[in-house]
Amino acid sequence: MSWLVCGREGEVVEPIAVFLRDFAARGNSPGSVRSYAFVLLRWWRWLAAVDVAWDRTTSAEVRDLVLWLQLHPKLRRTPRTVSARTVGTVNQITGKRYLDDHYAVRTIRHNNAVLSSFYEFWGAQGLGPVVNPVVDGSRRGRPNAHHNPMLPFRPEGRVRYNPKVPRRRPRALPDEA
């Protein structure tokens, strides 16, 4: 395995290791495995903080994590020095926004997608919670059961607590650039 998640005492977290092994075996890149490992590490730490077992989670834990990510700044090992004055501002040449110290909406959505696939994997194995705590299961029946063939399909199985992605303003470069 290229990435392993370890618990507090340094032991390998077996449910995450099994999932990451399967995820890597499906042909995903090492960068994706790394990204999923970091999200699952954050989730594992969150579950330890709220004292809930991974296989007993509900949508309340997912909701609380999303709220926490939206409200709290990212933990940093070292304080910003050079980039402190550019935090959250826009680069005048490229029009691209500099990163700030809070979790981006896309990061939170990625976090939810990883957790959804983690619990979907364990649900297919017959282990873990009976209901995926991330996916909204409020809709009953077959997805798109009464679909009009003249209209596009509606997305089914929405992810709970996904914040909306703000519309990006188009970027433009000056003719000199």
Side-chain angles (χ1 to χ4, degrees), residues 109-131:
R109 292 174 69 94
H110 174 68
N111 192 75
N112 288 342
V114 170
L115 294 179
S116 177
S117 66
F118 175 73
Y119 282 107
E120 185 179 311
F121 170 78
W122 283 107
Q125 304 293 322
L127 304 169
V130 175
V131 176

Side-chain angles (χ1 to χ4, degrees), residues 124-161:
Q125 304 293 322
L127 304 169
V130 175
V131 176
N132 188 336
V134 184
V135 176
D136 184 8
S138 62
R139 296 182 182 149
R140 300 285 181 235
R142 191 170 53 93
N144 291 300
H146 301 286
H147 175 69
N148 180 348
M150 300 301 287
L151 299 174
F153 282 97
R154 291 187 325 258
E156 295 288 339
R158 283 183 21 126
V159 173
R160 285 184 179 120
Y161 312 118

Side-chain angles (χ1 to χ4, degrees), residues 50-102:
V50 296
D51 196 28
V52 175
W54 75 272
D55 55 350
R56 301 283 182 229
T57 59
T58 63
S59 63
E61 285 80 31
V62 177
R63 178 200 60 215
D64 292 343
L65 176 63
V66 167
L67 289 172
W68 188 87
L69 291 173
Q70 290 174 342
L71 296 175
H72 291 83
K74 292 184 234 177
L75 300 174
R76 298 184 63 82
R77 290 186 183 165
T78 58
R80 287 185 183 264
T81 54
V82 177
S83 63
R85 59 188 166 82
T86 62
V87 170
T89 61
V90 176
N91 184 323
Q92 294 301 316
I93 297 173
T94 63
K96 187 175 179 183
R97 181 170 291 282
Y98 290 109
L99 296 177
D100 63 2
D101 289 332
H102 287 82

Side-chain angles (χ1 to χ4, degrees), residues 20-39:
L20 290 177
R21 190 176 312 117
D22 180 74
F23 186 71
R26 285 185 266 151
N28 292 296
S29 71
S32 294
V33 176
R34 176 182 186 266
S35 173
Y36 274 52
F38 275 115
V39 169

Side-chain angles (χ1 to χ4, degrees), residues 6-21:
C6 296
R8 288 184 182 191
E9 286 78 37
E11 79 284 357
V12 173
V13 179
E14 198 58 34
I16 295 176
V18 171
F19 172 74
L20 290 177
R21 190 176 312 117

